[in-house]
Amino acid sequence: MNFSSLQRILTTAIISGVFAGILISLIQFVTTIPLITEAEIYESQPVASAPATDAHTEGHSHAAAAPAAHSHGDEDSWGPEDGLERMTYTVISNVIAGVGFALLLGAAMTMRGRDVDVKSGALWGVSGFLVFSLLPAAGLPPEVPGTVGAPVELRQMWWFLTVACSGVGLAMIVFKSSWIWRGAGVVLLLIPHVIGAPHPEVASGTAPASLAAQFAMMTMITSAIFWVMIGSVSGFVLEKLRALS
Amino acid sequence: MTNPNVTTTETSTQVSTGKMTSVFVSALLGFFMIYGVGFAQPDALHNAAHDSRHSLVFPCH
C-alpha cells in the first residue's frame, strides 16, 4: 500500500492528535483545571483594585454587570455549563489543538524528509514544546483566570512572532552545520525577547501568587507531556505506515 | 517496494512538488485549527475552549 505524503501527515496527525488530546484532558482534569476553577472563585469576588477591574473586563461583554466576573456561562453569551458539558468542550478543544499541533509537526517532519520513529518523534515533540509552549511562556507566563494582562491582541501577536522566530531559529540551530547559520538561529530565537512581550503597566491579578505559580508550573509540565505524546505517537504511526508500504 | 535509486528526474520533481504541497496544505490546516481553539475572539468559541486555552498557555482574555 502506498501513501501520499498528505495522506501520511493527515493519518498521523489525526491518530496522534486525538490520542494526545484525550489523554491530556484527563491529566488536565486533575492538574490545571482545578486551579483554574479555584482562580475563578477569586476572580468572581469583587475586587478593590481599580486597574485589575478595568483591564480585565476589557473586551468582555458584561463589564458593567459584573466588574470582576468571568465571561463563560453568563447571560450575555453562550458558554458550556460547569460539569460534564464544560469538560466535554475541553476534551473537544484539546483534541482539535492536538490534531492542529500534530499537523504542524507532521509538516515540519515531512519538510525535513528523514524517517521518524517513536524516539526521534519524542524529540520532535520536545522541540514543539520549546517552540509553542516554553519560549512563548518566557515572555508571557501562563495566566490563571483573573490575571491582568496587556490587550489580548498584542499578546497574541507577540505569541505568533515568538512561535515563528523560535521554530525557524531552532531548526537553524539543530539542522544546519555551519556556525554562521547556528548563530543566526540563536539571534532569531532571541529577537522576540529583545523586543519584549507586552505587559500591563501595573501587574496584578485576583488569584493568590502561590496559586498562579503552581498553575504556571503545572501548565508547563502538562504541555511538555502533551507535546511528547504528540511527537512520539506520530513517530509510532509513521513507523507503522512505512511498514505497510 | 520501489527502489528510490531508479526514480527518473520527472518523477522526483513530481514527488518533491507533491511533498511541498502536502507540507503547505497540512501546515495551513493545522494553523486554522490552532487559531480556532486558541485565538478566535467570538465569545462562544472563547467560552467553549476556555480551559484548554488557559491550560495550553494561549494568550487568553
Side-chain angles (χ1 to χ4, degrees):
Chain A
M1 206 150 108
N2 228 330
F3 296 95
S4 74
S5 48
L6 188 61
Q7 282 172 322
R8 217 168 27 239
I9 301 174
L10 291 177
T11 311
T12 307
I14 290 167
I15 296 173
S16 61
V18 171
F19 177 86
I22 292 172
L23 233 71
I24 203 63
S25 302
L26 299 178
I27 295 172
Q28 286 175 354
F29 289 144
V30 293
T31 54
T32 56
I33 292 173
L35 300 173
I36 293 174
T37 315
E38 199 182 333
E40 281 172 354
I41 298 170
Y42 291 102
E43 191 188 24
S44 61
Q45 286 165 359
V47 281
S49 134
T53 307
D54 291 341
H56 179 72
T57 51
E58 195 179 320
H60 282 240
S61 53
H62 62 313
H70 194 56
S71 80
H72 50 74
D74 62 44
E75 62 281 0
D76 295 313
S77 57
W78 176 88
E81 290 298 322
D82 282 351
L84 193 64
E85 192 182 344
R86 186 166 167 180
M87 287 163 87
T88 307
Y89 278 98
T90 300
V91 176
I92 294 169
S93 306
N94 281 334
V95 165
I96 297 172
V99 175
F101 283 143
L103 280 169
L104 296 178
L105 204 63
M109 287 170 173
T110 306
M111 218 159 103
R112 174 72 178 145
R114 301 273 171 91
D115 284 351
V116 179
D117 55 18
V118 176
K119 205 171 155 188
S120 56
L123 279 178
W124 276 99
V126 171
S127 313
F129 168 69
L130 289 177
V131 169
F132 286 89
S133 308
L134 192 69
L135 290 168
L140 291 173
E143 292 177 344
V144 277
T147 309
V148 177
V152 67
E153 294 79 11
L154 288 180
R155 284 183 288 137
Q156 290 181 338
M157 275 166 58
W158 188 87
W159 191 93
F160 274 116
L161 174 76
T162 307
V163 166
C165 289
S166 306
V168 178
L170 192 65
M172 282 158 73
I173 295 166
V174 177
F175 299 140
K176 293 283 181 187
S177 49
S178 131
W179 287 101
I180 297 171
W181 275 103
R182 288 181 170 176
V186 172
V187 171
L188 199 57
L189 215 70
L190 292 175
I191 284 175
H193 302 279
V194 172
I195 295 172
H199 287 292
E201 279 180 33
V202 183
S204 62
T206 49
S210 57
L211 178 63
Q214 200 188 356
F215 180 76
M217 197 48 115
M218 277 301 178
T219 53
M220 284 299 106
I221 294 170
T222 50
S223 295
I225 296 170
F226 188 41
W227 272 106
V228 172
M229 278 198 290
I230 293 172
S232 49
V233 176
S234 292
F236 176 81
V237 176
L238 285 169
E239 253 184 302
K240 295 289 165 205
L241 291 179
R242 272 198 305 278
L244 281 174
S245 55
Chain B
M1 200 172 148
T2 52
N3 183 349
N5 296 324
V6 293
T7 49
T8 62
T9 316
E10 195 187 331
T11 49
S12 65
T13 312
Q14 281 170 355
V15 168
S16 82
T17 313
K19 188 177 111 171
M20 286 324 286
T21 311
S22 308
V23 166
F24 181 74
V25 170
S26 45
L28 200 67
L29 195 61
F31 174 83
F32 280 116
M33 292 176 84
I34 298 300
Y35 187 84
V37 171
F39 293 89
Q41 288 298 328
D43 275 351
L45 274 179
H46 163 269
N47 295 343
H50 177 264
D51 293 353
S52 272
R53 288 189 182 189
H54 276 281
S55 295
L56 299 177
V57 203
F58 289 116
C60 198
H61 308 295

